[in-house]
Amino acid sequence: MSEPILVATGLRKTFRAARGNPAVEALRGVDLTVATGEVFGLLGPNGAGKTTAMRILCTLLIPSAGSARIAGFDLVREQAQVRQRIGYVGQKGGMEGVATGRENLILQARLYGMSRAAAAVRVDELIDRLKLAEFAGRKTQTYSGGQRRIFDLASGIIHKPPLLFLDEPTTGLDPASRARVWDEVRRLNAEGATVFLTTHYLEEADALCGHVAIVDKGAVAALGTPADLKATVGGDTIVLGFASEAAAKAAAAAVVGSPFGAKMQTHEQTVRLYVHRGEEVLPAVLQFLNAKQLEIATVTLARPSLDEVFLKLTGRSLTSEPQVGS
């Protein structure tokens, strides 16, 4: 069994604030281990610390405390060796808009030390592989979001890194472009690359990742395979929606002590009941609440999801978190 390609221990990052304001602790002791050859996901709402963690692991930020090794090299003391072995695609990409896609890729290859001839061969290979020939000769400022993102991905793998970092790789993309990025991530992984991605899309983590770390407020709240994490929720979820938060709280109070209230969580105008064999329990729940004259606005029977895991751990829904940065 090969050694993990990434091991991080106790990573912390504190940002100094303006005078008179408290410092911001973006990471609070993060431990991560990524196996060679897997797709690993850092999942959490924007503002949870995902991008800070990735920027540290890509040597773009120095940790305030903790340590990490990537491909056997120390993250801080051996930055040059680390950078040769990783690819990084940030949220905003790095393409020069006044240059063509091909010119951008040639520049990236040359920055990694390739000769002009080797760079040209590699760029042609990627343009053919990713089906970019139609617009490779156009300035990238004319590209659509999906076209730009595929070129960003090409720039990240120009030097064939064993570890590729993707920060929110499909944010803002249409479904077709998102599916194309997913397909390429799967293909890269099938060819042996390890992929480390951050995302706040639940379906992205579920579809792509072998292991997921759920982060909240700068710390790892849970770590495991998507299937194992969802299994911790236990059974099915009956989601009851009410017209107001007060009505939801009244329903929750009524359910406490009933056969359905052993595992329950209230969030704003919603009550979630975690039950086994939900399709059998649901009619009894509805009958019970109807007898209490508690009017239900909506009802859903859901199988366990990563959002349910996040909600169980934090009391908040990941999908309803404000989008304020990462």
Side-chain angles (χ1 to χ4, degrees), residues 3-316:
E3 291 292 320
I5 197 167
L6 186 158
V7 178
T9 305
L11 287 182
R12 293 180 176 271
K13 184 62 181 179
T14 302
F15 293 100
R16 293 182 180 180
R19 184 175 296 179
N21 295 315
V24 177
E25 193 174 24
L27 293 184
R28 300 185 292 115
V30 169
D31 298 337
L32 295 172
T33 299
V34 178
T36 299
E38 76 168 327
V39 180
F40 184 94
L42 207 57
L43 174 66
N46 284 342
K50 303 187 305 297
T51 293
T52 298
M54 178 168 282
R55 288 176 65 83
I56 287 174
L57 294 171
C58 292
T59 74
L60 298 175
L61 288 175
I62 300 297
S64 302
S67 63
R69 297 188 70 81
I70 293 178
F73 295 96
D74 184 87
L75 182 70
V76 175
R77 296 195 302 271
E78 299 172 297
Q79 289 189 354
Q81 292 91 328
V82 170
R83 289 170 181 168
Q84 286 291 329
R85 290 160 177 81
I86 65 172
Y88 170 64
V89 180
Q91 291 184 33
K92 297 181 180 179
M95 291 285 175
E96 289 290 340
V98 297
T100 68
R102 182 184 295 276
E103 289 168 343
N104 271 284
L105 293 180
I106 289 287
L107 174 61
Q108 187 75 358
R110 297 283 284 153
L111 288 173
Y112 274 101
M114 294 185 195
S115 67
R116 290 184 184 276
V121 169
R122 177 59 174 159
V123 169
D124 285 343
E125 176 187 324
L126 285 175
I127 287 174
D128 179 64
R129 166 179 171 157
L130 298 175
K131 299 179 174 58
L132 304 176
E134 182 180 348
F135 45 90
R138 286 171 26 205
K139 292 182 179 181
T140 61
Q141 63 191 12
T142 69
Y143 290 0
S144 69
Q147 291 169 341
R148 178 178 288 271
R149 206 57 179 155
I150 294 297
F151 260 101
D152 287 336
L153 185 60
S155 72
I157 61 174
I158 195 79
H159 57 303
K160 301 181 181 179
L163 175 59
L164 176 64
F165 288 97
L166 302 175
D167 194 10
E168 301 281 359
T170 63
T171 295
L173 296 187
D174 60 82
S177 297
R178 181 177 296 179
R180 189 176 177 194
V181 172
W182 285 14
D183 287 344
E184 189 56 33
V185 168
R186 291 188 180 103
R187 180 159 67 158
L188 286 167
N189 182 240
E191 293 172 353
T194 304
V195 181
F196 184 112
L197 63 88
T198 69
T199 184
H200 61 268
Y201 292 133
L202 301 166
E203 71 277 15
E204 188 157 86
D206 219 348
L208 295 178
C209 299
H211 286 83
V212 170
I214 296 178
V215 292
D216 181 45
K217 298 178 181 178
V220 175
L223 176 65
T225 68
D228 287 345
L229 292 177
K230 288 185 287 186
T232 66
V233 173
D236 302 326
T237 305
I238 296 173
V239 185
L240 304 170
F242 295 87
S244 67
E245 191 168 337
K249 289 181 178 179
V255 170
V256 171
S258 75
F260 324 114
K263 294 183 179 180
M264 176 184 63
Q265 206 154 27
T266 305
H267 178 69
E268 297 177 350
Q269 296 170 221
T270 302
V271 175
R272 281 174 164 80
L273 303 176
Y274 301 105
V275 300
H276 292 287
R277 306 180 74 86
E279 66 280 1
E280 297 178 8
V281 176
L282 178 57
V285 170
L286 298 179
Q287 186 178 13
F288 175 83
L289 292 175
N290 184 60
K292 299 287 186 180
Q293 297 185 329
L294 292 165
E295 187 173 346
I296 301 168
T298 62
V299 60
T300 305
L301 177 61
R303 302 304 179 193
S305 70
L306 290 174
D307 189 41
E308 297 293 345
V309 176
F310 185 80
L311 182 65
K312 184 177 181 182
L313 291 168
T314 68
R316 306 189 314 281

